[in-house]
Amino acid sequence: MDTRRSTYNFQKATLGEEAEWLRLREQALMGWEKEFRTLQWFGLEDGMTVLEAGSGPGFVTEQLLERLPTIRLTSLDIDETLLNKAKHRLSHIPEFKLAFKHASVYETGLPDNQFDFAVARLLFLHLHDPVQAAMEMKRVLKPGGKLVIIDLDDGIFGAIQPDLEALPSILQKIAKLQASKGGNRHIGRSLPRLLTESGFTDPDIEAVIQHSDLHGIEGFKRQLDIDRFTVFYTNGIISKTEYEEMKQACDRFAHSPEAHAMFVLLMACGTKPSHT
């Protein structure tokens, strides 16, 4: 993973590849309507040339192409396995509308000033050098082009009912572990600053709320699958007591008719200066 300078690895997902695939799908789709609405508010329009960085299995790629039928989209990811899955799923899309690029977000190999708009969804929390990645996005954007980073911040991750009392302390330990590997699960609060440091102008940020009463509870259950936390217990990151409390809480959430939850995603936008 050092060569990728990223903390995410699909092949080593704690749930296993099949379950991780389903989790990624739910994660991408359950709040998509609001995310897309905000992307449009930030300036995304049909007919644009668009770069999707960290596109993974292509669930968001597919939604973008359905909503914006005349865009020309480049789907970029460092994980060849995920990129090949996306190619297979979206093989019916003509090449002039959708191109795939196997490359690092730090060194895309794409031409200068090519794109009107770039989107990076749940990518930057995994990056060792987010400023370098954002600067590479700026390089490939046209003057006046925009980058939107969609990411999380565990400090305001959301709320769950019945309450998972052990979750905040567990999230803190997981965030500390990810930080030791070069990631940042608190990056959401720093996105406007990150964009400014990377040379973007007019930074803005919005919060998007995913709620189980609006988007269905199954996606939230996948995000709170106890198997996602087992590896942290077996590796000594969380204690046996914390793990047992979390297991009981996840079970209550999975089976309670009163269960509901909301998660928060942050969407930050910056503009490439016209004079560069």
Side-chain angles (χ1 to χ4, degrees):
M1 288 297 290
D2 288 342
T3 58
R4 299 182 178 202
R5 289 183 292 162
S6 168
T7 63
Y8 181 75
N9 189 331
F10 174 75
Q11 289 74 28
K12 295 183 178 179
T14 57
L15 293 175
E17 290 191 14
E18 183 177 354
E20 178 69 359
W21 174 268
L22 293 173
R23 187 188 73 83
L24 290 175
R25 182 180 184 277
E26 294 285 359
Q27 184 188 72
L29 299 182
M30 65 186 189
W32 172 247
E33 293 287 343
K34 289 185 176 182
E35 290 179 48
F36 181 69
R37 184 173 67 195
T38 306
L39 286 171
Q40 289 181 301
W41 187 78
F42 280 138
L44 179 62
E45 297 178 355
D46 204 6
M48 285 182 164
T49 52
V50 179
L51 172 64
E52 184 191 0
S55 54
F59 297 124
V60 170
T61 310
E62 187 174 27
Q63 293 299 312
L64 287 169
L65 290 165
E66 286 183 0
R67 299 301 183 89
L68 303 168
T70 66
I71 62 169
R72 288 161 291 162
L73 179 63
T74 296
S75 174
L76 179 144
D77 206 285
I78 190 64
D79 191 314
E80 194 168 15
T81 297
L82 287 178
L83 206 62
N84 285 336
K85 287 179 179 290
K87 288 180 181 179
H88 179 73
R89 288 184 54 253
L90 302 175
S91 60
H92 60 286
I93 305 294
E95 290 184 5
F96 73 87
K97 291 185 62 174
L98 175 61
F100 292 95
K101 180 70 173 180
H102 178 223
S104 165
V105 69
Y106 302 112
E107 297 177 4
T108 64
L110 296 167
D112 294 351
N113 307 317
Q114 181 176 2
F115 298 96
D116 300 301
F117 207 94
V119 181
R121 186 182 188 276
L122 295 177
L123 169 66
F124 273 72
L125 80 154
H126 294 294
L127 299 180
H128 291 56
D129 194 339
V131 171
Q132 181 184 342
M135 291 180 68
E136 176 68 357
M137 295 296 96
K138 180 164 63 73
R139 181 186 68 79
V140 303
L141 282 168
K142 298 174 184 177
K146 293 185 176 182
L147 167 63
V148 174
I149 301 173
I150 306 171
D151 231 306
L152 53 75
D153 190 312
D154 277 351
I156 53 169
F157 78 94
I160 299 168
Q161 187 68 33
D163 190 23
L164 278 65
E165 295 181 3
L167 186 57
S169 66
I170 290 174
L171 288 178
Q172 283 186 334
K173 292 182 177 181
I174 294 174
K176 186 176 180 180
L177 173 66
Q178 185 151 344
S180 72
K181 296 180 178 181
N184 183 2
R185 293 189 63 85
H186 296 138
I187 197 167
R189 67 193 69 179
S190 303
L191 291 178
R193 181 169 298 186
L194 166 63
L195 289 166
T196 300
E197 290 176 355
S198 305
F200 288 90
T201 62
D202 304 315
D204 200 357
I205 190 167
E206 291 289 325
V208 173
I209 308 296
Q210 301 172 343
H211 198 289
S212 59
D213 287 356
L214 305 177
H215 307 122
I217 201 166
E218 290 306 315
F220 293 83
K221 289 180 178 179
R222 289 193 185 279
Q223 307 308 314
L224 294 169
D225 189 326
I226 188 58
D227 288 342
R228 294 190 67 201
F229 299 90
T230 301
V231 66
F232 301 113
Y233 167 55
T234 56
N235 289 336
I237 306 302
I238 62 177
S239 68
K240 181 178 180 179
T241 299
E242 287 174 320
Y243 178 73
E244 291 298 333
E245 288 179 0
M246 190 66 187
K247 186 176 182 179
Q248 293 173 15
C250 287
D251 186 67
R252 287 197 301 271
F253 181 79
H255 296 98
S256 171
E258 302 301 321
H260 55 283
M262 66 177 187
F263 292 164
V264 179
L265 282 180
L266 297 167
M267 299 180 64
C269 179
T271 302
K272 179 174 177 174
S274 297
H275 63 270
T276 58

